[in-house]
Structure formats: structure tokens, C-alpha cells
Amino acid sequence: MDILSGTGPVLVIAPHPDDEVLGVGGTMARLADAGREVHVCVATRGQPPQFSDDMVASVRAEAAAAHAVLGVTRTHWLDLPAAALGEHPHGAVNGAIGGLVADLGPDLIFAPHPGDIHLDHQLVFLSTLVASRPHQADYPATLLAYETLSETNWNAPYLTPAFVPNVFVDVSDTLDRKLGAFAAFESQVKPAPHERSVEALRALATLRGATVHKQAAEGFVLVRHVA
Amino acid sequence: MDILSGTGPVLVIAPHPDDEVLGVGGTMARLADAGREVHVCVATRGQPPQFSDDMVASVRAEAAAAHAVLGVTRTHWLDLPAAALGEHPHGAVNGAIGGLVADLGPDLIFAPHPGDIHLDHQLVFLSTLVASRPHQADYPATLLAYETLSETNWNAPYLTPAFVPNVFVDVSDTLDRKLGAFAAFESQVKPAPHERSVEALRALATLRGATVHKQAAEGFVLVRHVA
Amino acid sequence: MDILSGTGPVLVIAPHPDDEVLGVGGTMARLADAGREVHVCVATRGQPPQFSDDMVASVRAEAAAAHAVLGVTRTHWLDLPAAALGEHPHGAVNGAIGGLVADLGPDLIFAPHPGDIHLDHQLVFLSTLVASRPHQADYPATLLAYETLSETNWNAPYLTPAFVPNVFVDVSDTLDRKLGAFAAFESQVKPAPHERSVEALRALATLRGATVHKQAAEGFVLVRHVA
Amino acid sequence: MDILSGTGPVLVIAPHPDDEVLGVGGTMARLADAGREVHVCVATRGQPPQFSDDMVASVRAEAAAAHAVLGVTRTHWLDLPAAALGEHPHGAVNGAIGGLVADLGPDLIFAPHPGDIHLDHQLVFLSTLVASRPHQADYPATLLAYETLSETNWNAPYLTPAFVPNVFVDVSDTLDRKLGAFAAFESQVKPAPHERSVEALRALATLRGATVHKQAAEGFVLVRHVA
Amino acid sequence: MDILSGTGPVLVIAPHPDDEVLGVGGTMARLADAGREVHVCVATRGQPPQFSDDMVASVRAEAAAAHAVLGVTRTHWLDLPAAALGEHPHGAVNGAIGGLVADLGPDLIFAPHPGDIHLDHQLVFLSTLVASRPHQADYPATLLAYETLSETNWNAPYLTPAFVPNVFVDVSDTLDRKLGAFAAFESQVKPAPHERSVEALRALATLRGATVHKQAAEGFVLVRHVA
Amino acid sequence: MDILSGTGPVLVIAPHPDDEVLGVGGTMARLADAGREVHVCVATRGQPPQFSDDMVASVRAEAAAAHAVLGVTRTHWLDLPAAALGEHPHGAVNGAIGGLVADLGPDLIFAPHPGDIHLDHQLVFLSTLVASRPHQADYPATLLAYETLSETNWNAPYLTPAFVPNVFVDVSDTLDRKLGAFAAFESQVKPAPHERSVEALRALATLRGATVHKQAAEGFVLVRHVA
């Protein structure tokens, strides 16, 4: 009946672990409940010295817990260098994401918003767009950009691409699981009034929902839909 | 499976007769083939002295023929003054379109693009937006803006809203009917190389199709979709 | 220390009563607490048959109560025709708002966002801009556009001007009064999940606050500031 | 050799007298020097009680003097109501401007910028665009929007269309005549630092020139050029 | 008489071979017919292992054939690394393109559109802009951005710069040669309905033509023109 | 009383020496006169072979003289590679600027405009934005983007972010010192009509001033202000 009602695999691409939950958590749970295969791709891996192997392992355990809450089918780790995609060969990022898209054949993809302040987000968006381009008969029918608290709202108003949602997904029934999944990312959650707090995430869901007369929603920007 | 796969009534709002065919003809035929109720609303009526009653009747006969080709369920004539909506009370335009939306309860609406050069198109878009706003539990789940050859491309690049399609509907199977329906508007069709010619309409369909690897497509801009 | 720290009168221009509270309520209370003169101008008056004199009187009583909660110095009613500014002479709207600006000599003005779905909002913004233009030595040093739940988010994404706040006012200490003032507009408040509900208004304040690490904030778009 | 090097008539459309000099004065003189027919169309006429017949006559005398300095071939007065185009039938504005375009058959048209703060400017632009649309074999090959000090810079940054020039005309040799023509509009010239002052106009010419390494230039936004 | 009517050399800058034909083929033939020197600069060279020396040689032979059809004076190969400009020193790209511009002294330059999905296109545009900046008396008077099927339409609507043509060149007389030149790129042409097919290219020319009442046209976005 | 009236340190970030004077010179002098600590950060250092050590030393001496004229408290040299920030690790640029912001704790930051043609400007802007994000209780309350003659106006109109000032600082009393400081950069000043000339800089100040009825002003785009 709507843009979510397909049957093929779904792929959510996160530059760093927890982006996928902040932006698409409630929708992922709804899709999983509906029987869809839901894949998460985490594009980067924290690099030493900022991130030790232990820290990486710890965040991955958090992700596993969060993804279990949401019903994620499988999590794919691309291990590209975090906070360093700008220096990594663009072709290699294209190749890593493009390879996964080719393998899974998703008909619905969620990518970070190109207007996010984090350069990794901008570059992952571009590579996802390249991987999804309609240059052959088979390609993802729908590509949506999601918003990420603490990335999307911190860019420069009117000077960088704005996030103005035109697709709203009712997550009234899955918001609790989304917030629970986010809480599972103990290393990433910040206390209010930080924008990456449970309280801010709940407020965003309430606001996006109210815009379309729902208790809770996630907002997206449509990049392309082919019917 | 996609944005067209609902079951409720569909409403295509045309400022003047033939806009609906230029922008949505192939999609209307596809929806009708799929068993959907497809309604066309023509917002305005030509006014004397430019348009005599005979001319109005003649265009309506053309519209009837075109709509029959496409499988339109019913055509609604609002009889607002053509080329004079700017002087007509905005509340009255809102009321006329809003009343029809309330009566039909469509879940999918097509409106002209607000960046069209014709002021009537801009005002019909705004009133459709008002009529579709999510201020109660029940409202149209999807609102799409369509393009109109000889209106959309003649506005001022970068100074007025651009039409950049993000929704593409495959009309490979219904393009011939679309072109036939447009040809039925004998009073409106112009010889090539006019933009309102059959040749231009076919080229547009080929181009929009090629963008998404289809033989023919219609392009739209998503205004809102709620899932 | 900041854009609010002047000493002259403040003027908040509302197309219809309650817009000023939705957009600027917390900031008005903060400014009043700081000893500033805070004026509200309501541009329009509901017209029969939609609005009886009794209804108008009732809304004005609600406004009086709300404004008292916020510490508003004085409320000015321009009595322009509500939902009909598009047919009212533009010069007359300019004149009414321009006259008030000339009389009060505010150094800080708040206007509705020109990207709101309601034509009245768009026209009141334009007339406020005209009234504030720097065509003589004395003019308002600061002009800010505010957002209005149930108007700002219901316009057409990417086709109409987006509201992307670049000024944030901490209203942690006055949010309760803002919500109380809004609740005083009994005829206008809607139950959740309507966007014009107390719950949505609170969520918006939480989100705008979180963006700048505050418990609650109101967001604005700067139109002009002269230092 | 460039966008100015045609041979047909040139038409400069001014909402009010002096706009044409502020925006196109130096270019008009250059075109007249090159032997082109240069027509000015003043769209509106000041209305009582703000403008008496004497005042109108006086401004027209100033215009005649200014246009003589610039070598204008003929000035056309459309006598539409100044500061009231919003209430005048849009079709009538289209008709008046369209009629003149049809009569003169210009191949180069200059129109006010649609992002100007004055509604008359916005509406004159739209009607010029309608009059110039390529709906038949013969139409103006080039349409440029010009900037008007005290109108263009006083609109709302990022919320209304920005004037960012992409066409620059070297007026090093005609700037003095432009400033002289503007000075002839004694009733309109303001003392510095008003934006409608000779000093501001000179500064603008210096800046636009410096952007393209010329002593003085006028900047325009290209709406359409057909080669 | 128009933007093409100069006498100096013309330079078309292509990120990869065939871009220049897709975007500017008909215009190049028209300029060559008019006796202009037409230079093509191909910025990059395919790299192993994706591209062998044989493949590179083969594509260059195709380019030679295509350019002969169009009357290109000379083709310049910069041999920058294809699909890897993001990792190549920006200064080196600037230097390579800037050197060629300095050598040739073109008065008309065509560059790829900065909103294309391919990062190479974005970077070649930026370097061309740097090479053309008016920082001395002598610089290219006109800079136009062209569109490239399979690159321009596959970016993200409303989130990346849109291609909305404001310059149209009538290529009714040279379209056949353009299509022939494109067909010469056997390794690059795809069968319909791919966007990089002869059919799509013909449809684009028909549509761009119809917009300005011509049998066929190429559309461009003006970056800068100095008269 | 206004956006400048704080008490904390001010930080002006220049990609290359003299950008800070071109964009913020008059405002820096005004702030210094008001007793504020004014810091300049020059992000890059010229690299051999284009720039010898002697040349670098010479420019730094010019900067010292210019900054003395303006009352700059201290100049910080980050020594990142000039004209090569695109190849430098983004994290390292973030770290260098972020470290200085953390050390100084400014409440007001000026950054180059992200729409400047120079890639270094774009990247310095982004890193400044990252350094200023509100991810903890303490962060710069105000972030403004400034314009740089010979960088800002040479980008691609409507395809790259436009500079449309919404903050104006009256520099009538300090313009002479600004022009004097710029003249101190003997190696950078160009003769008129170059855009990086004293004459162009004076014209810009006159124009920005006239827009807000001042003898001279500097214009800025507000990125964020928290009150």
C-alpha cells in the first residue's frame, strides 16, 4: 500500500554504528515485523589510536544487542577507516558499498543525509547513490535519506543541503524498541540535553509524528522511487 | 509494492483541461488498469470573451474522449475562472478543492508543480496542499507534483522552484494510450516543435524512462508520503 | 551579550491569534522577565460567517489570558480580514503593519516564516519586511522569522522556503509558561497527535533545545541583524 | 561577439520610473551607442492620493531627461496602478506587457528581478516571462533580470530568490552617463548613505566591475538565451 | 548575435571521453561549421587494472573518429587518473586544466555540470572554474556547464545542484552528426532504455529543442558571461 | 545590545593571510576598540616550490603590520599546507582548528564562506563548523561566515552556495583602518580593477553599508547564534 510494502531485502547503510538506529530504528523494526529481511551495513571501523580493538569490539557488541532488539537480519561491517573517508580512495568506498548492494539486491535502501556535518556521512551517501544508480534493469527501487541527531542539525543552515522530510513512517508501535535499541549503545548515548540523548530522540519522533497526525514517526527525504 | 499500490481513489487535479494528460496520462491509465478509481478534477473554466460557451463545450468533449481512453472514472469540473485565479478569493479555491478532496477521500493526489509559469498552476498547487494537510486522522497518504510541458519548463531557472523528479512511474505499457488521449485534445495540441506537441511528449516520456532504465516513464516530485 | 540584549520595544507579529505563542512564547516571556516592552500585533480578525463576533471575542479573551501569562505589554489588533489577505490590498496590509512599526519603533521584530503553508502568513511576512526596510536612519535592528506548528511543516519540502533555524533562544526557564499560555487558547489547542497540541509543542522545544545543548529552546531564522 | 551583439530592438521593463536606470542604465547607453533601438517600458503610474497628476508629470519629465542622456529610443507608459499590481487582474498585466512585446518584437529584454522586495517587481517579472515564452517561432532570444538598489537587497536572504549575477556588462565607458541619468531623477535620488544614492550606485558598479576585472559593470541574472 | 558568435578558440572539457559528445556534440559541430577552432580536453585516462592500455587506445580511436565527425580541431589528453580525481592533488588538476586554458586562450569554455553524480565531474568543474576566474585582463568571456546523460540525472534531487538549462543552442542542423559521433563510441554506447543510448540522447535533444520551439537543441547552464 | 556585544574572546579564522582583513577587518577593529580579545588564526602556510621561506616570512611580516593596525591580540599560525587541504587528512584539519577553539574558548567565531571558489576555504569552513558544534555545555555562541573578495564572487552562481548577507556590522569608524591594514599586505594587494584591490574593497564596504543605511559596513551570513 505504500513505499514500505515491497518484499525484497532492505539495506540500511550507517557510516558509524548507531546512525542506523537514530535514523531508521523504528522503521527497521516495523519492516522486520512485516517479515522483511533487514540488513544493516556499517561502513567504517574506528581506527587507533582514537579507537582500540577493545573499544571497537565493545561497540560491535552494543550494535549486536541493538540490532537484535530491532529484528535486524544481518549486520555487515565494511571496515573502512572512520573519520578518514575523505582520504580513502573514493573508488574503494564505491566498491565496498557497491559490492554489498550487488550481493544483496535490496529493493529499498536507507542512506545518511548528504547534508550531515560529518564528512563520512556525505561520502557514504554519495557512494550509496553511485551503487544504486539505474544503469541496468535491476537496481533498488527506492532510496531514502535519513536524519541523524548530532549530525544533521549541526550543519550550516541554508549553506548546506537541508533535511526537510517528505516521507514519514509511522513508528508508533515500534518507538519503544527504537529507544531501547539506542539505549543499548551505551558508549554512544549522551545525557540530555545532548542531541544524541534518548530524550531528544523521543522528542524528534513525537514531532515527526505530529506533522502527520501520528503518535510517532521517522522522517526521510526521498532520493528516488521507481514504480 | 510501491507508491501506486494502494486501493483507495486517486485524484488528479488539473488547472485547465489537458494538464492532467500531459503530466499523469500514462500513470492514470496504469492505475485504471489496476482497478483503481481514477478521478480528474479540472479546476477552471475558460471565461468569455476569450472562451465562448461553444469553445468550453468543445474542450470538454475532447476531455471526455481523452479520459475515456485512459479509463478515468469521473471528471469533476470546478468552474473556477481560468487565467484569473489570482483575483479569485483564495479561500474559495481552497474551498472548492478541499470540498472535493473531502468528498472523495483519495489516498493519492496529483497536483500541478508550484514552479510552473502559469499563476493558475501555482495557486491550484497551494490549494491542493491546503486540502491535503494532515490536520486530522484521515488525509491523502501521498501527494505528488507533476510536470506540464509548456508550463513547467518556461519558468525562470534557479529563480523559481525547479522540477527535478524523484518519483518515476513506468508507463511503457500505457504510453500509446497517453499519446492518444493527448491527441484527442485537438484544440490544445500544437505541431512540433512546440513543446505542447505529441513529439515533445513522447521525447519526455523516453527521457524520463531512460533515467530509470525503462522504455517510458512519467516523472513526479514527491510532496509527501506517509507509510 | 546576544541578539536579545537590547533595550527597545519588541514586536511580535502574528497573522492569527496563537501564532505568536506557538513561535515566540518562551522568548517573549524571557524578554518580559528582562524588563523589555513586549508588544504583540495580531494582523487579522476572523470574518463571518466562519467566525461570529462571539467567537472573535472568545479568542481575544483567550489571547488576553495567554499574553498575561507571558508578560506581554500590549496587544494590537489590526483587524485585517483573516484567510483573505490575498484579496485585501497589499498596500493596506503594508500600511497597517508599517504604521504600527512606525509608532512603536521596535528594535527587534518577530514575523511568521514566509514558507508557511498559510497565505496569510506569507503576506504578513512580506509586509513586515517592507515595514522594516532600512530606508532611513531609524529602523528595527533585528528581524527574525519564527516557526508555527501546523503551518510551517505542512508546506511543500524543497519547493517552498524551508525553515532551518540559525538562531536559538534558550527557553528552559520559560517553557512552562509558554505551554500554559498555549493551553489558554482553548479554542485553538488540539489533542495529540495533532501538530497544534501541547505535546507537539513540548517536543519541538525539546528538540530545538537539544540541537544547542539546552533543555528547551525556540528556533528562528535570521532575516537581518545590524550591529 | 556576445549576448549584446544582436541587431533587433531592446526592451527594458521598469515597474516604476528609475528602476530601468538603476539596473540597466550603463548597458542601455552602450547599446544605444552601438546603434540599437532601446525601448523603455514603465509598467505603472503613481495613483492618487499618494501621487498627484503633477507629481506624475514631474517624474515623467525626469524620466524624459534621464532617457535622453542614455539615448533611449522611446519610452512606453503602461499606466498600470503603482503599488497595487497585486490587486490588478494578472491577465491585464500580462496583456499590457505582452502587447508591447508583440508590437516591438525585441530580441533582448531586461526585467526586474523576481526576488525584489516590492511585489510590483515580482509581478512585472512574471508577466514579462509570460510575454517572452517560446510558444511560437518568434520570441525574444535573451531575457535578463537586473538588480535594483533599494529593492533587491532588502528582501529576505535565503528565503526569497537571491540575485547572484552571471552576466556582466562592461559599462566603464558609460557609467558617468548612467550616474547622470540617475541624478536627473531628482525626486527619487536620496542622499548617501541611502541605498538609492549616487554613491551607492557608483559603488555597486565598481564592485560588479571588479568581479570581472573591469572598471565598472552592471550585473544580471540570465533567465534564458537561445542561440 | 549570440553567445556563440565570437571568433576565439572554444574549449570543451570532458572528464572522460564521450562526455563532450553527450553534452556539447551538436554545438561543437555548429561552431566548427562556423569556422571556430574547437578544442576538446579529456581530463582523465582509465587506469589499470580496470582499463588496460589496449582499452585506452581503443577508446581514443573512438574519440578520434567522433571528433572528426564533429570537426574538432584538436583533442588534448591530460591523463589524470580516471575515477580517482578525489585522491589526486587538487592543485595538480587545477594546474593541468589551468595550463591548457592559458595556452589556448579560449573565449568560450564548456565544463561538466558540478551536480553530476560522478566525483570526477564535480572536481573537473571546480578546476575549470578556477582556471577561468577573472583575475587578470584576459580570461574566457563565457563559461557554460553542460549535461551528461547517465551522470547528471542520477544525482540526488534537491540535495545536489540541479541542472536547469538557461542557455539553449539550436542543433537542428547538426543533431545527426552528434548522434553519429556518439555512435562512434562503440565501447560507451548502451542499448535503450539505458540513459547512455542513442535513443535517450535523441529524446533529450528533442525535448531541449521543444522548450525553445526548435527541432533539436542542447541545453546549458550559464556560469558566467562577460560582455 | 547586539551580536557583537559579548565579552569573551573573538576568533577569526583565515585560510590564508589577508582573508581575515578582507572579510572582517573593520569589525575586528571595532571589537578591539571595544576591549575584546581578538585572535586571528591563519590555517595554512605557503609551500615550496611556489612559496619560499622568505616569501612566507615576508607575508607574515605584512600580517603582523596589518594586525597591529586592527588591534589584533594574537595571531595563531596552524601551518597546514596551503592550496593542498584537500589532500591533507580532514581529521588533522579538524584537530588543528578544534584544538585552538578549545584553548581559546571564543564566544564569537568568524569563518570563511563555504561557497568560496577556493577549496581551502570550503574545508576550513567545515572544520570550523565541526569545532564549534554544540555537543557540550560550552561552545561558541555565535558563528558567522564572511566574504572574501576574489574568492566569494568567483564561484558558480546558483550551483554553489551563495553569499547573501543577513548580518551587517557598521564599520564607518574603522573602514580607514581596514583599508590601511589591507594595504599593508603589499604582496597581496592588486591594482584596480582587480577584485583584490583597495578600490574594490572600499566599494564593497560602501555597498554593504548602503544596504542598511550606514556609511560603511561588513556583511556576514549567520551560521548559528544561541541566546
Side-chain angles (χ1 to χ4, degrees):
Chain A
M1 307 302 197
D2 57 47
I3 214 167
L4 298 182
S5 58
T7 57
V10 176
L11 176 59
V12 179
I13 301 184
H16 319 97
D18 90 342
D19 292 327
E20 75 285 7
V21 176
L22 287 167
V24 201
T27 301
M28 284 196 286
R30 222 186 101 174
L31 287 162
D33 288 356
R36 298 288 286 276
E37 257 187 53
V38 177
H39 295 261
V40 169
C41 161
V42 179
T44 68
R45 175 192 175 100
Q47 303 295 305
Q50 292 95 318
F51 295 92
S52 66
D53 283 356
D54 279 2
M55 289 164 71
V56 169
S58 168
V59 170
R60 294 198 174 186
E62 293 173 358
H67 294 177
V69 168
L70 300 174
V72 168
T73 307
R74 187 171 159 202
T75 305
H76 307 258
W77 303 90
L78 297 186
D79 288 341
L80 296 163
L85 284 191
E87 296 84 60
H88 202 71
H90 178 57
V93 183
N94 285 352
I97 293 177
L100 184 61
V101 168
D103 284 352
L104 293 176
D107 61 14
L108 172 59
I109 293 191
F110 293 87
H113 180 62
D116 287 359
I117 192 178
H118 201 309
L119 189 55
D120 282 0
H121 286 230
Q122 300 171 26
L123 293 169
V124 165
F125 174 81
L126 178 54
S127 290
T128 305
L129 201 58
V130 169
S132 309
R133 69 195 196 282
H135 64 129
Q136 52 192 15
D138 198 27
Y139 56 87
T142 306
L143 176 56
L144 293 162
Y146 61 83
E147 64 186 317
T148 308
L149 286 179
S150 79
E151 305 292 356
T152 305
N153 293 329
W154 288 349
N155 217 329
Y158 301 106
L159 302 177
T160 54
F163 185 91
V164 190
N166 49 21
V167 171
F168 295 82
V169 174
D170 184 345
V171 298
S172 303
D173 292 342
T174 58
L175 177 61
D176 285 348
R177 267 186 285 161
K178 172 183 183 160
L179 298 178
F182 179 53
F185 274 102
E186 287 184 20
S187 65
Q188 307 299 315
V189 176
K190 308 285 184 186
H194 197 287
E195 222 200 33
R196 195 169 279 229
S197 64
V198 173
E199 290 81 355
L201 197 56
R202 185 189 299 276
L204 178 64
T206 301
L207 179 65
R208 293 296 181 224
T211 298
V212 292
H213 210 88
K214 307 287 182 190
Q215 294 294 338
E218 285 173 344
F220 303 98
V221 173
L222 181 69
V223 178
R224 188 170 48 236
H225 176 66
V226 181
Chain B
M1 305 300 199
D2 58 48
I3 214 168
L4 299 182
S5 58
T7 57
V10 176
L11 176 58
V12 179
I13 301 183
H16 318 97
D18 90 343
D19 292 328
E20 76 285 7
V21 176
L22 287 166
V24 201
T27 301
M28 284 196 285
R30 223 185 102 175
L31 287 162
D33 286 356
R36 298 287 287 275
E37 255 187 54
V38 177
H39 295 261
V40 169
C41 161
V42 179
T44 68
R45 173 192 175 101
Q47 303 295 306
Q50 292 96 319
F51 295 92
S52 66
D53 282 358
D54 277 2
M55 290 164 72
V56 168
S58 169
V59 170
R60 294 198 175 188
E62 294 172 358
H67 294 177
V69 169
L70 300 175
V72 168
T73 308
R74 185 170 162 204
T75 305
H76 307 259
W77 302 90
L78 297 187
D79 288 341
L80 296 162
L85 285 190
E87 295 83 59
H88 202 70
H90 178 57
V93 183
N94 285 352
I97 293 178
L100 184 61
V101 169
D103 284 352
L104 293 177
D107 61 15
L108 172 59
I109 292 190
F110 293 87
H113 181 61
D116 287 359
I117 193 179
H118 201 311
L119 190 56
D120 283 0
H121 286 230
Q122 300 171 26
L123 293 169
V124 165
F125 174 81
L126 178 54
S127 291
T128 305
L129 201 58
V130 169
S132 309
R133 67 196 198 282
H135 65 131
Q136 51 192 16
D138 199 27
Y139 56 85
T142 307
L143 176 55
L144 292 162
Y146 61 83
E147 64 185 319
T148 307
L149 286 179
S150 79
E151 304 293 355
T152 305
N153 293 330
W154 288 350
N155 218 327
Y158 301 107
L159 301 177
T160 53
F163 183 90
V164 190
N166 49 20
V167 172
F168 295 81
V169 174
D170 184 346
V171 298
S172 303
D173 293 341
T174 57
L175 178 61
D176 286 347
R177 267 186 285 162
K178 172 182 183 162
L179 297 178
F182 178 53
F185 274 102
E186 288 183 21
S187 65
Q188 306 300 312
V189 175
K190 308 284 184 186
H194 196 288
E195 222 200 32
R196 194 170 279 230
S197 64
V198 173
E199 290 80 356
L201 197 56
R202 184 189 300 275
L204 178 65
T206 301
L207 180 66
R208 294 297 182 223
T211 298
V212 293
H213 210 86
K214 306 288 183 191
Q215 294 294 337
E218 285 173 344
F220 303 99
V221 173
L222 182 69
V223 177
R224 188 169 49 235
H225 176 66
V226 181
Chain C
M1 306 299 197
D2 57 47
I3 214 167
L4 299 182
S5 59
T7 57
V10 176
L11 176 59
V12 179
I13 302 183
H16 318 97
D18 90 342
D19 291 328
E20 75 285 6
V21 176
L22 287 166
V24 200
T27 301
M28 284 197 284
R30 222 186 102 174
L31 286 162
D33 287 356
R36 298 287 286 276
E37 257 188 52
V38 177
H39 295 261
V40 169
C41 161
V42 180
T44 68
R45 174 191 175 100
Q47 304 295 306
Q50 292 94 320
F51 296 92
S52 67
D53 283 357
D54 278 3
M55 290 164 72
V56 168
S58 169
V59 171
R60 294 198 174 186
E62 293 173 359
H67 295 176
V69 168
L70 299 174
V72 168
T73 308
R74 186 170 160 204
T75 306
H76 307 259
W77 303 89
L78 298 187
D79 288 341
L80 295 162
L85 284 190
E87 295 84 59
H88 201 70
H90 178 56
V93 183
N94 285 352
I97 293 178
L100 184 62
V101 169
D103 284 352
L104 294 176
D107 61 14
L108 173 59
I109 292 192
F110 294 87
H113 181 61
D116 287 359
I117 193 178
H118 201 309
L119 190 54
D120 282 359
H121 286 230
Q122 300 171 26
L123 293 169
V124 165
F125 174 81
L126 178 54
S127 290
T128 305
L129 201 58
V130 170
S132 309
R133 68 195 197 282
H135 65 129
Q136 52 191 16
D138 199 27
Y139 56 85
T142 307
L143 175 55
L144 293 162
Y146 61 83
E147 64 186 318
T148 307
L149 286 179
S150 78
E151 305 291 356
T152 305
N153 293 329
W154 287 350
N155 217 328
Y158 301 107
L159 301 177
T160 54
F163 184 91
V164 190
N166 49 21
V167 171
F168 296 81
V169 174
D170 185 346
V171 297
S172 304
D173 293 341
T174 57
L175 177 62
D176 285 347
R177 267 186 285 160
K178 172 183 183 162
L179 298 178
F182 179 53
F185 275 102
E186 287 183 21
S187 65
Q188 308 299 314
V189 176
K190 308 285 184 185
H194 197 286
E195 223 201 32
R196 195 169 279 230
S197 65
V198 173
E199 290 80 355
L201 197 55
R202 185 190 299 277
L204 178 64
T206 301
L207 179 65
R208 294 295 181 225
T211 298
V212 292
H213 210 87
K214 306 288 182 190
Q215 294 295 337
E218 285 173 344
F220 303 98
V221 173
L222 182 68
V223 177
R224 188 170 47 236
H225 175 66
V226 181
Chain D
M1 306 303 198
D2 57 46
I3 215 168
L4 299 182
S5 59
T7 57
V10 176
L11 177 58
V12 179
I13 301 183
H16 318 97
D18 91 341
D19 292 329
E20 75 285 7
V21 176
L22 288 166
V24 200
T27 300
M28 284 196 285
R30 222 186 102 175
L31 286 162
D33 287 357
R36 297 288 286 277
E37 257 187 52
V38 177
H39 295 262
V40 169
C41 161
V42 180
T44 68
R45 174 191 175 101
Q47 304 295 306
Q50 292 95 320
F51 296 92
S52 67
D53 283 356
D54 278 1
M55 291 164 70
V56 168
S58 169
V59 170
R60 294 198 173 186
E62 294 173 357
H67 294 177
V69 168
L70 300 174
V72 168
T73 307
R74 186 170 160 203
T75 306
H76 307 259
W77 303 91
L78 297 186
D79 288 341
L80 296 163
L85 285 190
E87 296 83 59
H88 202 70
H90 178 56
V93 183
N94 285 352
I97 293 178
L100 185 61
V101 168
D103 284 352
L104 294 176
D107 61 14
L108 173 58
I109 292 191
F110 294 87
H113 181 61
D116 287 0
I117 192 178
H118 202 307
L119 189 55
D120 282 0
H121 286 230
Q122 300 171 25
L123 293 168
V124 165
F125 174 82
L126 178 54
S127 290
T128 305
L129 200 59
V130 170
S132 308
R133 69 195 197 282
H135 64 130
Q136 51 192 18
D138 199 28
Y139 56 86
T142 307
L143 176 55
L144 293 162
Y146 61 84
E147 64 185 317
T148 306
L149 286 179
S150 79
E151 305 291 356
T152 306
N153 294 329
W154 288 350
N155 217 328
Y158 301 107
L159 301 178
T160 54
F163 184 90
V164 190
N166 49 20
V167 172
F168 295 82
V169 174
D170 184 346
V171 297
S172 303
D173 293 341
T174 57
L175 177 62
D176 286 348
R177 267 186 285 162
K178 172 181 182 162
L179 298 179
F182 178 53
F185 275 102
E186 287 183 20
S187 65
Q188 307 299 313
V189 175
K190 308 285 185 186
H194 196 287
E195 221 200 32
R196 195 169 278 230
S197 65
V198 173
E199 290 81 354
L201 196 56
R202 184 189 300 276
L204 178 64
T206 301
L207 179 66
R208 293 296 181 224
T211 298
V212 292
H213 209 86
K214 306 288 181 191
Q215 294 295 336
E218 286 173 343
F220 304 98
V221 173
L222 181 69
V223 177
R224 187 169 48 236
H225 175 66
V226 181
Chain E
M1 306 303 197
D2 58 47
I3 215 167
L4 299 182
S5 59
T7 58
V10 176
L11 177 58
V12 179
I13 301 183
H16 318 97
D18 91 343
D19 292 328
E20 74 286 7
V21 176
L22 287 167
V24 200
T27 300
M28 284 196 285
R30 223 186 101 173
L31 287 163
D33 287 355
R36 298 288 286 276
E37 256 188 53
V38 177
H39 295 261
V40 169
C41 162
V42 179
T44 68
R45 174 191 175 100
Q47 304 295 305
Q50 292 95 320
F51 295 92
S52 67
D53 283 357
D54 278 2
M55 291 165 70
V56 168
S58 170
V59 170
R60 294 199 174 185
E62 294 173 358
H67 294 177
V69 169
L70 300 175
V72 168
T73 308
R74 187 171 161 202
T75 305
H76 307 258
W77 303 90
L78 297 186
D79 288 341
L80 296 163
L85 285 190
E87 295 84 60
H88 202 70
H90 178 57
V93 183
N94 285 352
I97 292 177
L100 184 62
V101 169
D103 284 352
L104 294 176
D107 61 14
L108 172 58
I109 293 191
F110 293 87
H113 181 62
D116 287 0
I117 193 179
H118 202 308
L119 189 55
D120 282 1
H121 286 230
Q122 300 171 26
L123 293 168
V124 165
F125 174 81
L126 178 54
S127 290
T128 305
L129 200 59
V130 170
S132 308
R133 68 196 197 281
H135 65 130
Q136 51 192 16
D138 199 27
Y139 56 86
T142 307
L143 176 54
L144 292 162
Y146 62 83
E147 65 185 317
T148 306
L149 286 179
S150 77
E151 305 292 356
T152 305
N153 294 329
W154 288 350
N155 218 328
Y158 302 107
L159 301 178
T160 54
F163 184 90
V164 190
N166 50 20
V167 172
F168 295 82
V169 174
D170 184 345
V171 298
S172 303
D173 293 341
T174 58
L175 177 62
D176 286 347
R177 267 186 287 161
K178 172 181 182 163
L179 298 178
F182 179 53
F185 275 102
E186 287 182 21
S187 65
Q188 306 299 313
V189 176
K190 307 285 185 186
H194 196 287
E195 222 200 34
R196 195 170 278 230
S197 64
V198 173
E199 290 80 355
L201 196 56
R202 185 189 300 277
L204 178 64
T206 301
L207 179 66
R208 292 298 181 223
T211 298
V212 293
H213 209 85
K214 306 287 182 191
Q215 294 295 337
E218 286 173 343
F220 304 99
V221 173
L222 181 69
V223 177
R224 187 169 49 235
H225 176 66
V226 181
Chain F
M1 306 301 197
D2 58 47
I3 215 167
L4 299 182
S5 59
T7 57
V10 176
L11 177 59
V12 179
I13 301 183
H16 318 97
D18 90 343
D19 292 327
E20 75 287 5
V21 176
L22 288 166
V24 200
T27 300
M28 284 196 285
R30 223 185 101 174
L31 287 162
D33 287 356
R36 299 287 286 276
E37 256 188 54
V38 176
H39 295 260
V40 169
C41 161
V42 180
T44 69
R45 174 191 175 101
Q47 303 295 305
Q50 292 95 318
F51 295 92
S52 67
D53 283 357
D54 278 2
M55 290 164 71
V56 168
S58 170
V59 170
R60 294 198 174 186
E62 294 173 359
H67 294 176
V69 168
L70 300 174
V72 168
T73 308
R74 186 172 161 203
T75 306
H76 307 259
W77 303 89
L78 298 187
D79 288 340
L80 296 163
L85 285 190
E87 296 83 59
H88 202 70
H90 178 57
V93 183
N94 285 353
I97 293 177
L100 185 61
V101 169
D103 284 353
L104 294 177
D107 61 17
L108 172 59
I109 292 190
F110 293 87
H113 180 61
D116 287 359
I117 193 179
H118 202 310
L119 189 56
D120 283 1
H121 286 230
Q122 300 170 26
L123 293 168
V124 165
F125 174 80
L126 178 54
S127 290
T128 305
L129 201 59
V130 170
S132 308
R133 68 196 198 281
H135 65 130
Q136 52 193 15
D138 198 27
Y139 57 85
T142 307
L143 176 55
L144 292 162
Y146 61 82
E147 65 185 317
T148 307
L149 287 179
S150 79
E151 304 293 356
T152 305
N153 294 329
W154 289 349
N155 218 328
Y158 301 107
L159 301 177
T160 54
F163 184 90
V164 190
N166 49 20
V167 171
F168 295 82
V169 173
D170 184 346
V171 298
S172 303
D173 293 341
T174 58
L175 177 62
D176 286 347
R177 266 186 287 161
K178 172 182 182 161
L179 298 178
F182 179 54
F185 274 101
E186 288 183 20
S187 65
Q188 307 300 314
V189 175
K190 308 284 184 186
H194 196 287
E195 222 200 33
R196 195 170 279 230
S197 65
V198 173
E199 290 80 356
L201 197 56
R202 184 189 300 276
L204 178 64
T206 301
L207 179 66
R208 294 296 182 225
T211 298
V212 293
H213 210 87
K214 307 288 183 190
Q215 294 295 336
E218 285 173 345
F220 304 98
V221 173
L222 181 69
V223 177
R224 188 169 48 235
H225 176 66
V226 181

